[in-house]
Each structure stands twice: as structure tokens, then as C-alpha cells.
Amino acid sequence: MSTVRAAPPLRRRGEGLKALLWMSPWLVGFAVFFAYPLAATVYFSFHRYDLFTLEFVGLDNYRYFLVDDRAWASIGNTLWLVVLMVPAQVLFGLGVAWLLTRLKSGAGFFRTVFYLPSLIPVVAGTVSFVFLLNPSGPLNQFIELFGIAAPDWFGDKDWSKPGLTMLAMWGIGNTMMIFLAALLDVPRHLYEAAAIDGAGAWRQFRSITLPTISPVLMFSTVTGVIYALQYFTQAMIASRVAAGVTDSPGSTFVPGYPELSTLTLAQWLFHVGFRDFSMGYACVLALLLFAFSTVFTLILLRRFRAFDEGGDR
């Protein structure tokens, strides 16, 4: 009876070193660009640090966070964007892509029309959108034709976040193209078989389309949530333009106009760190942002995994 000999220790060690060698680019990148910055952020969060002096303050930065009204306002606004803006953007992109797959003619023209806004620079698009939605803008004039009092989109705290949501839905070109490619890749014979069995449009969408495109749906949702948690440029530009403030030297403008309704966690982190130079407290906010990103991503991954497992049964 033959026996299987174990690999010599030197050979196993050589294979382990070879594996480390192949993994070394990733390990170096992980250590330099993730592990070290994360450890440094935790370290500085226990200090008062203004880029010149470093003073240990223990949990003072964390205690200040608990009573910082602007931080809590920014968290509320950011969660609003995650819960409402991201689903609206994903569903609108999916709906537009689905409609484009049903067009018999002119599909190329409408694809171009819906994709063009995503090619416009973010700052230029945001400034244009603020002027488009100003009280005397074309959208409000159109609404008033029906006898409806048009809102002051970026001048009213109750309408500023819906205005940002409309801006996000206007720029769904990239999301729409990803969904369009996924929908066109769904096998046609599955729909034909379902139609023969008597399945309606909704049943086909629920039982065939969604399970097939679930990886793309997961990707779009996860990246959308991460993007919303780091939402910065559009909200900052919109609040500045609506308030009539320019970024001139000596400007003391605090983001969030009107009434902190557009202040996001990323904006407040930037303001605290690079305007007030309170780096220790900014590190606390950065850790909070990292925790939110991790928790939301894990929740979404588990939900999509459960959906896929349920669809397989």
C-alpha cells in the first residue's frame, strides 16, 4: 500500500514565500493606503491637532461630537440622501433602461439624450440646475401654469434635499447604461417560456429580470450608498450659489444653506479639518463616516445574498 509523503518543510516554506511575493503589491498597498491611515486616524482622534501642535485630550473629541448640533444635522441629511436619494436614482435608472429596451425605434437617440447629462462637469451641472430651479426659473414657471405655488427649491430647507435628489436623477446616465447592458443580456428564451406559461409582465420582471440582473443591481446600490455617504460637491456648490456666496479669501461661509438642510457629513468633516484646522475632531468624523460605509455595505450585501438564495429555491 502506497503512502502519501508530506511536503518537506523547506518546500512548504518556499511556497509560502512565493505566495507572499505574489501578494506583496496588494499587501503594501493595503498597509500604506488603508491600515496606516486608519490607525493614524484613530490615534489623532484622541488628540487636539492643528497640523502644528499635538496634545492628548483623551475622549474630549468624542464628547464634543455628542453635543455638536451641526454634526448631527449633517448625519441626518446624509442618511436622508442614503435612504431616499439612492433608491430614487437606482429605480429611475433601472426604469429608463427598461423602457429603452422596449423601444422599437429611436432607441439610440434616447440613450444619447439620457446619457449626456452625466458628461457635464459636476460643478457646471450643479450651477445650471440651481439656476434652472430658482424661483423665477423655467421649471417653476411651468408649475405655476397649473395654478400650483412653485417652491423655492434651494432657498427652502424643506425642498433643498428633494432638489439635490432631482439633480442626482438627472445625471443617471452611467447607472442607466449599466442597467441597459444587464437587461439586454437577459436570455430572451426565458421570457418566451414564461409568456407561454401565462406569466404577465410583472411576474416576468420579478422572477426573471431581477434575479438575472441582481449582481448589477447590488453593484449600483452599494456604490450609490458609498457615494451618498461621501456626498460633497453638489451640495456645497448648490448651497453657495443659492446663498450668493463666492469662495473668496477670508470667506467665513459655513456649508449647509439653507438652515443646514444641505450640510452633509463629508462637508462638515472638510470644514472642521481644513477650515477650522481641528484635525483631531475631524478624525472622529472620518471614523464615523467609515463606520457608516462599512455597516451599510455589509447590510446591503447580506440583503442581496438573501435575495439571491431565495430566488434559487
Side-chain angles (χ1 to χ4, degrees), residues 106-261:
F109 170 77
F110 286 106
R111 290 177 190 176
T112 304
V113 169
F114 281 106
Y115 185 72
L116 278 178
S118 64
L119 300 178
I120 299 175
V122 173
V123 174
T126 304
V127 172
S128 302
F129 213 81
V130 173
F131 280 109
L132 180 68
L133 297 184
N134 70 53
S136 58
L139 179 62
N140 281 9
Q141 292 181 6
F142 177 75
I143 294 175
E144 290 172 353
L145 291 176
F146 300 93
I148 303 174
D152 183 5
W153 293 94
F154 291 102
D156 187 339
K157 65 181 181 65
D158 295 327
W159 288 97
S160 56
K161 287 189 286 293
L164 291 175
T165 301
M166 291 177 63
L167 173 60
M169 295 172 67
W170 176 66
I172 49 91
N174 291 325
T175 304
M176 180 267 295
M177 292 301 292
I178 293 174
F179 279 128
L180 183 60
L183 290 171
L184 292 175
D185 198 42
V186 178
R188 298 292 101 186
H189 68 270
L190 296 179
Y191 292 121
E192 295 170 0
I196 293 174
D197 290 339
W202 169 246
R203 182 61 180 175
Q204 292 180 26
F205 182 79
R206 175 67 179 82
S207 301
I208 298 175
T209 306
L210 282 183
T212 305
I213 69 169
S214 61
V216 176
L217 188 61
M218 180 186 69
F219 170 80
S220 299
T221 305
V222 171
T223 55
V225 167
I226 295 174
Y227 175 77
L229 289 172
Q230 301 173 0
Y231 199 72
F232 182 91
T233 305
Q234 291 90 331
M236 176 68 78
I237 298 300
S239 63
R240 282 185 174 276
V241 174
V245 176
T246 60
D247 194 9
S248 57
S251 172
T252 58
F253 176 75
V254 177
Y257 178 88
E259 300 180 40
L260 303 181
S261 61

